[in-house]
Amino acid sequence: MTERDVFLPVGAQPTLDALVEQAITAEELGYDRAWFPESWGRDAVTAITTAAERTDEIGLGTSIVNVYSRSPALLGQTAATLQEATDGRFRLGVGPSGPIVIENWHGMEFGNPLRRTRETIDIVKQVLDGEPVQYDGEYFDLDGFKLRCGAPDPAPPVDAAALGPKMVELVGRFADGWHAVNYTKDGIAERLEDLERGAELGDRDIDDLRVTLSVSCCALEDEQRANDLVAQHIAFYIGGMGTYYRDNLVRQGYDDLANEIYDAWQEDEREHAIDLVKSELREQMGAAGTPEQARTQVEQYEAIDAVDAVYISFPRGATTDEIHETMTALAP
């Protein structure tokens, strides 16, 4: 049975307490896991630690922490500590993010994200094994690092976010799960083939990999408001978050549309970009409308072969009340 998770908007909440209250609510509503992103608001580690103290059963995880702003050894230490703090409920989600975030915000060279993600996953898993880390890579050369505390048992799984075919293949070879973000209902199929090919190259069983699909959702009695919010959110990611989400949509067969949305957003024709999403893309991406309509759409994503979990994420323009209304309407 496909799990239903929730993606909490860390930076959008007025206080840390308000954010953690959402995790508590998600647990009460029966969600399987709460994912905490990390971008330019609150850090995910503190948020998860606080949520761990105030919840009992819901799984907790990062989606995602980038592989540049912390060293792989520190990410391994962090994962081990959070597994302890959550009593075994933690999953680490990592990813390269993009050049705007890494270079403009963190002041680091983006370089080869594929190789850096591979090396980070390798090293984190060695750290979590509890043995001395020996690693000779392109980015990292480690000798002798070892957890002084006991290694977590079981070790938390290490997932990775990926958009392009080579990165998804890498996830299949080396990670424990794939976070799929900004995919259409039809477009994810080709990337699932890449994941399976990676699993074969790594001599791994594809059934052992957890595929988590992100779906931007808004379920309100005000059907138009819900659709407007999700369309605006999709347009923002395609048009305003660098070029990688645009390129990801191009790979899914929406070449002209992806570029038209991107160009409109960049030229400050935001309403045109949103209208394009509404008229030509919204039925393939996101879940929005009345509670009944949104629930039906979420179930369509859950029915996709090989998807193990769908996480309910919320449009960036949604208010705290609208987030709560959507979370409640779409609860498992």
Side-chain angles (χ1 to χ4, degrees):
M1 181 177 178
T2 307
E3 294 184 359
R4 192 171 295 188
D5 300 346
V6 66
F7 179 87
L8 299 180
V10 171
Q13 301 313 299
T15 64
L16 178 61
D17 280 342
L19 172 65
V20 172
E21 280 298 321
Q22 289 183 339
I24 295 169
T25 299
E27 180 172 74
E28 292 171 346
L29 291 171
Y31 284 94
D32 293 286
R33 183 170 297 274
W35 294 101
F36 291 73
E38 187 173 76
S39 50
W40 61 95
R42 298 179 181 88
D43 76 279
V45 177
T46 305
I48 289 175
T49 304
T50 308
E53 287 294 307
R54 302 184 192 176
T55 58
D56 299 309
E57 297 179 355
I58 191 169
L60 301 168
T62 56
S63 181
I64 62 167
V65 290
N66 75 72
V67 297
Y68 291 84
S69 58
R70 295 179 180 88
S71 73
L74 179 56
L75 280 171
Q77 290 176 268
T78 301
T81 306
L82 287 175
Q83 182 72 328
E84 183 178 4
T86 62
D87 294 324
R89 294 182 280 146
F90 181 67
R91 288 185 80 98
L92 176 68
V94 300
S97 189
I100 289 177
V101 173
I102 301 308
E103 295 182 351
N104 293 3
W105 298 357
H106 293 288
M108 302 184 70
E109 182 182 353
F110 194 59
N112 182 346
L114 194 73
R115 182 68 197 179
R116 190 178 183 107
T117 302
R118 154 74 190 279
E119 292 188 14
T120 297
I121 293 171
D122 284 346
I123 293 167
V124 167
K125 288 195 166 191
Q126 284 192 34
V127 171
L128 292 173
D129 282 342
E131 299 300 321
V133 177
Q134 304 290 333
Y135 198 83
D136 182 11
E138 180 180 334
Y139 283 96
F140 302 103
D141 185 2
L142 278 70
D143 182 14
F145 179 91
K146 182 180 184 299
L147 286 176
R148 186 176 182 184
C149 56
D153 184 20
V158 181
D159 300 338
L163 294 177
K166 286 298 181 184
M167 185 66 84
V168 176
E169 181 183 292
L170 181 147
V171 173
R173 289 183 68 185
F174 301 107
D176 299 310
W178 173 39
H179 287 228
V181 181
N182 279 59
Y183 279 93
T184 64
K185 293 171 187 171
D186 295 334
I188 193 173
E190 193 172 346
R191 296 291 79 79
L192 286 167
E193 293 175 4
D194 297 323
L195 187 74
E196 186 169 357
R197 182 171 58 255
E200 291 174 355
L201 290 169
D203 195 24
R204 310 173 73 202
D205 187 341
I206 188 68
D207 291 335
D208 293 336
L209 300 179
R210 187 182 199 261
V211 175
T212 303
L213 175 62
S214 170
V215 181
S216 178
C217 301
C218 194
L220 306 174
E221 293 301 332
D222 186 341
E223 177 183 348
Q224 181 174 339
R225 167 71 175 170
N227 275 288
D228 288 348
L229 284 168
V230 170
Q232 193 275 344
H233 183 85
I234 293 170
F236 167 75
Y237 269 83
I238 296 169
M241 286 292 284
T243 59
Y244 41 100
Y245 290 117
R246 179 200 64 185
D247 296 344
N248 190 47
L249 189 59
V250 167
R251 285 190 293 267
Q252 295 174 70
Y254 292 87
D255 192 335
D256 292 341
L257 179 61
N259 283 294
E260 190 174 356
I261 293 169
Y262 178 84
D263 291 342
W265 194 275
Q266 291 296 311
E267 292 166 9
D268 210 25
E269 298 174 0
R270 305 289 169 81
E271 289 304 318
H272 178 52
I274 294 168
D275 287 342
L276 286 169
V277 172
K278 287 181 183 177
S279 62
E280 301 188 47
L281 193 60
R282 235 298 290 136
E283 293 302 312
Q284 270 290 318
M285 293 183 77
T290 65
E292 183 178 358
Q293 291 169 338
R295 279 195 295 267
T296 298
Q297 293 167 48
V298 169
E299 288 166 0
Q300 292 170 355
Y301 291 99
E302 291 175 331
I304 297 172
D305 287 343
V307 170
D308 299 297
V310 166
Y311 69 58
I312 307 300
S313 68
F314 307 101
R316 57 196 297 269
T319 65
T320 300
D321 287 344
E322 287 167 337
I323 290 170
H324 186 271
E325 188 175 345
T326 298
M327 190 188 303
T328 301
L330 300 181

